[in-house]
Amino acid sequence: MSTAAARKRVGVLISGRGSNMVSLAEAARGPDYPAEIALVISNIPDVAGLDRARGFGIATATIDHRPFGKDREAFERAVDELLRVNQIDLLVLAGFMRILTPWFVKRWEGRMINIHPSLLPLFKGTHTHRQALEAGVAEHGCSVHFVVPELDAGPVILQAKVPVLPGDDEDLLSARVLVEEHKLYPAALAEVASGRARLVDGVVVRG
């Protein structure tokens, strides 16, 4: 089987500019990269990330969550159907601003990853850079993890660290972390797509 034929088909869920999606799409252009970005879905119409994806020749779709009201699972079933029709193997969350239900997480268990701007298990949730500054830590960073029902609690695949420097504010620290995110996410996706990192019984198994 050729390398191209063996590549995993990846779906990316976004809600905005899609900067991490772009880093993945750029990495996937490499002939030896084990995944292709096959579909980008946004839950918000007309976000910049959709245009950026189309610039790479990636298929895009919008499934607006608002008509589903409070029925989060109905929205997720529509997303899941689109992923199935497009024969998606792996799912990547890239600035997707929706909390997923246990139904969806279980359906994609071991095949869905997320990037979080902290060194998990530190600073879960939002405003992670503010949390890091208020805590006075010497190091901050980002983590790619498998998604589990508990928010930001999945087993970590890879992490990248940055120093917290004197004079840092949220914007400066965020920018430094984002540089690392754009390198870390393609590396972590390659680990999962190649089978070098797998989720087995709640832990990451290597090799």
Side-chain angles (χ1 to χ4, degrees):
M1 181 182 293
S2 69
T3 301
R7 300 175 91 198
K8 297 292 186 182
R9 289 176 58 81
V10 175
V12 184
L13 301 186
I14 66 171
S15 297
R17 62 185 179 176
S19 70
N20 271 309
M21 177 274 298
V22 168
S23 72
L24 295 170
E26 289 174 343
R29 284 175 162 172
D32 297 325
Y33 196 76
E36 64 170 311
I37 310 305
L39 177 66
V40 173
I41 302 174
S42 175
N43 66 303
I44 300 175
D46 302 321
V47 295
L50 293 172
D51 285 336
R52 297 173 86 175
R54 286 189 283 265
F56 283 92
I58 300 169
T60 64
T62 299
I63 301 180
D64 191 337
H65 66 276
R66 290 170 296 187
F68 295 91
K70 295 182 179 180
D71 193 345
R72 290 191 294 148
E73 189 174 308
F75 162 74
E76 291 170 356
R77 287 184 181 276
V79 172
D80 184 74
E81 174 65 13
L82 188 56
L83 295 170
R84 187 192 65 78
V85 167
N86 283 273
Q87 299 178 304
I88 298 303
D89 301 307
L90 299 173
L91 189 56
V92 170
L93 308 183
F96 184 64
M97 304 306 291
R98 300 282 296 170
I99 295 176
L100 297 166
T101 68
W103 175 83
F104 190 86
V105 173
K106 189 69 176 177
R107 189 164 179 82
W108 286 89
E109 184 177 17
R111 298 184 295 146
M112 178 165 53
I113 63 176
N114 182 49
I115 193 161
H116 183 74
S118 82
L119 296 174
L120 292 172
L122 296 175
F123 313 131
K124 297 178 181 180
T126 58
H127 305 298
T128 59
H129 311 303
R130 183 188 309 168
Q131 292 185 60
L133 291 168
E134 290 175 348
V137 294
E139 288 185 319
H140 189 40
C142 49
S143 309
V144 178
H145 62 94
F146 284 106
V147 178
V148 299
E150 184 182 346
L151 186 66
D152 300 329
V156 170
I157 302 162
L158 290 176
Q159 290 184 319
K161 297 179 180 180
V162 302
V164 180
L165 302 177
D168 268 347
D169 59 19
E170 286 183 64
D171 289 339
L172 289 170
L173 190 54
S174 172
R176 199 177 307 121
V177 170
L178 189 62
V179 171
E180 296 304 317
E181 287 184 33
H182 291 167
K183 295 184 285 187
L184 187 71
Y185 220 174
L189 177 58
E191 290 288 295
V192 175
S194 66
R196 294 192 299 268
R198 293 172 289 118
L199 183 64
V200 180
D201 297 329
V203 298
V204 177
V205 175
R206 306 284 178 182

